């Protein structure tokens, strides 16, 4: 039995400003920050790591009864024997990580939580409170970089292998990814990218996991699963088109996406999968027959919400494992698609497209799919994005779609406003296309 002492109290501070000031003293950092709603958890330090929460007991202290918040960052295919890049290899394989400090913004308000394996020392609480209240306003910083081009020919070969597997009846869909190496022209920190993702134009949930001098971060649009009591939510997200340069263009592209048979088929695979998983472990399942549109900064997606009520005895972790990976990030059938990916992709994805989130001591929490993400060491990094391949997919079109998706993680390097940032990213991608042309 592991006993956690968790002291939580309200604070009148901006949790991002407080995090930026306090993070200098902690090498372990964890963030799950929904930009659209008050579901924001920012952890510093590591009190304890646990393989399961079954034996964890919470002693709640302080004026607010907030259960301790555990973070969990999980790989896309943890058993894949292919090598991950050297940065992902540096992360330990841990399931539940409880920070020493968690800065919280949720339905209870803005909170400071201090966790300990013994009674929480009052002096620590007072010190952390002083630091949070003294935090200056954060500032965005631009980090210049160059993006090394990957091979279009290698991508065409990968798509060709995927299409051949589809034609042979092995899979109906496979989700392939690209990664590109990024080199910054000056050192940068996890805080620099975090602030740009939170305050910049990216939409979705900001993720960060820092371990020592390496960190994984991004801003994902895709919820995997959310649990509040017996209430469960998920999201079917697949099918993509550009965002458009005006409202009229956005609406036209969205209408074309809704009517496109290829994208609708790709989306339906995800809908059927999530509906089937929910029906096995839930009741009151509600998955609409028709999708809507999720507009993002650079792209738009077909999106179908899914809701249900959990059967007694089913927990958030088991639902996460049942749902992940969905056909939106692997393909369908999922098992055969994962095996095909091991054959076709030359690298292990690490946390990219993995299930990342938090669960509290009461068993509530949520996980998102780690899309539009990258892994960095403060000088170089790798950025990742993917797309679904189905019958009729065209390799060059899918390559360009991934380029649009990469703009989200690349926006983490821009401290400029949205218009200037878009121009900078366009210039960067234009330079990359010139480099590709010279290399062919």
């Amino acid at each position: 039995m592991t006993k956690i002492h968790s002291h939580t109290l309200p604070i009148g501070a901006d949790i991002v400003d407080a995090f930026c000031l306090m993070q200098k003293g902690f090498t372990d950092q964890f963030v799950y920050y929904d930009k659209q709603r008050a579901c924001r958890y920012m952890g510093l330090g590591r009190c304890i790591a646990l393989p399961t929460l079954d034996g964890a007991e919470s002693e709640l202290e302080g004026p607010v009864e907030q259960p301790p918040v555990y973070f969990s960052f999980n790989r896309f295919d943890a058993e894949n024997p292919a090598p991950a890049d050297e940065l992902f290899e540096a992360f330990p394989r841990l399931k539940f990580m409880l920070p020493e400090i968690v800065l919280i913004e949720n339905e209870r308000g803005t909170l400071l939580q201090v966790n300990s394996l013994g009674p929480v020392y009052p002096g620590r609480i007072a010190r952390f409170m002083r630091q949070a209240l003294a935090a200056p306003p954060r500032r965005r910083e631009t980090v210049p970089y160059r993006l090394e081009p990957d091979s279009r020919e290698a991508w065409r070969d990968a798509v060709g292998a995927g299409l051949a597997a589809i034609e042979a009846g092995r899979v109906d869909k496979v989700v392939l990814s690209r990664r590109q190496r990024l080199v910054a022209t000056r050192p940068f920190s996890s805080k620099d990218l975090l602030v740009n993702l939170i305050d910049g134009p990216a939409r979705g949930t900001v993720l960060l996991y820092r371990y020592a001098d390496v960190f994984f971060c991004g801003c994902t649009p895709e919820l995997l699963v959310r649990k509040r009591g017996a209430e469960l939510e998920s999201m079917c997200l697949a099918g993509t088109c550009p965002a458009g340069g005006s409202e009229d263009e956005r609406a036209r592209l969205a209408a074309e996406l809704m009517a496109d048979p290829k994208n609708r088929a790709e989306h339906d695979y995800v809908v059927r999968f999530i509906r089937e998983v929910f029906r096995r472990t839930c009741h009151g399942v509600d998955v609409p027959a028709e999708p809507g549109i999720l507009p993002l900064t650079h792209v738009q997606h077909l999106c179908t919400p899914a809701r249900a009520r959990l059967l007694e005895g089913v927990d958030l972790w088991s639902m996460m494992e049942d749902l992940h990976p969905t056909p939106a990030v692997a393909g369908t059938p999922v098992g055969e698609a994962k095996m095909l990916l091991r054959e076709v992709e030359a690298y292990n994805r690490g946390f990219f497209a993995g299930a990342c989130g938090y669960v509290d001591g009461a068993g509530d929490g949520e996980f998102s799919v780690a899309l539009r993400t990258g892994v960095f060491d403060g000088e170089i990094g790798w950025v990742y994005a993917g797309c679904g391949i189905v019958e009729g997919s065209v390799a060059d079109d899918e390559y360009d779609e991934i380029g649009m998706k990469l703009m989200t993680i690349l926006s983490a390097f821009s401290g400029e406003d949205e218009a200037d940032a878009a121009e900078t990213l366009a210039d960067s991608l234009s330079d990359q296309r010139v480099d590709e042309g010279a290399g062919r």
Side-chain angles (χ1 to χ4, degrees), residues 72-88:
S72 186
F73 284 73
N74 302 280
R75 290 162 171 79
F76 168 74
D77 182 0
E79 307 307 320
N80 186 349
D85 65 60
E86 67 277 15
L87 301 183
F88 275 132

Side-chain angles (χ1 to χ4, degrees), residues 325-398:
T326 73
V329 291
T332 189
V334 170
E336 196 64 40
K338 284 176 67 177
M339 186 55 66
L340 179 60
L341 289 173
R342 291 186 182 187
E343 298 167 9
V344 173
E345 292 187 343
Y347 52 87
N348 184 317
R349 295 181 179 184
F351 294 128
F352 166 66
C356 301
Y358 76 95
V359 56
D360 67 24
D364 289 339
E366 62 185 72
F367 287 86
S368 285
V369 182
L371 307 178
R372 324 288 150 85
T373 50
V375 61
F376 311 96
D377 71 357
E379 294 180 348
I380 62 97
W382 293 94
V383 293
Y384 293 77
C387 63
I389 305 301
V390 296
E391 184 179 1
S393 291
V394 178
D396 284 347
D397 292 345
E398 306 294 348

Side-chain angles (χ1 to χ4, degrees), residues 21 88 214 218 231 283 317 334 427:
L21 176 70
F88 275 132
V214 293
E231 300 295 328
H283 62 99
W317 181 261
V334 170
D427 290 343

Side-chain angles (χ1 to χ4, degrees), residues 247-259:
E247 184 58 31
D248 287 345
E249 186 181 17
R250 186 206 67 75
R252 176 180 62 78
L253 291 168
E256 291 174 357
L257 178 63
M258 286 285 287

Side-chain angles (χ1 to χ4, degrees), residues 200-338:
R203 298 178 189 174
T205 297
V206 176
L207 305 171
L208 170 70
Y209 175 19
R210 174 178 161 180
Y211 177 76
D213 56 354
V214 293
F215 58 95
F216 171 74
C217 69
C219 186
T220 178
E222 185 170 354
L223 172 71
L224 179 65
V225 60
R226 173 184 300 135
K227 177 183 177 295
R228 293 291 182 273
E231 300 295 328
L232 205 69
E233 296 179 55
S234 186
M235 171 192 291
C236 312
L237 194 73
T240 307
C241 73
S246 66
E247 184 58 31
D248 287 345
E249 186 181 17
R250 186 206 67 75
R252 176 180 62 78
L253 291 168
E256 291 174 357
L257 178 63
M258 286 285 287
D260 181 64
K262 170 187 167 294
N263 278 287
R264 289 296 294 266
E266 182 182 345
H267 184 78
D268 286 345
Y269 291 130
V270 184
V271 173
R272 288 200 295 269
F273 174 85
I274 291 179
R275 184 184 286 119
E276 289 168 4
V277 171
F278 272 25
R279 284 175 173 170
R280 288 200 301 267
T281 53
C282 304
H283 62 99
V285 176
D286 179 16
V287 183
E290 290 292 316
I293 295 290
L294 178 66
L296 301 171
T297 305
H298 306 294
V299 295
Q300 303 179 78
H301 293 298
L302 294 175
C303 179
T304 300
R307 295 180 176 85
R309 290 184 62 82
L310 269 177
L311 293 174
E312 187 175 349
V314 182
D315 61 21
L316 175 61
W317 181 261
S318 62
M319 286 302 306
M320 183 277 285
E321 289 188 314
D322 285 349
L323 286 166
H324 184 263
T326 73
V329 291
T332 189
V334 170
E336 196 64 40
K338 284 176 67 177

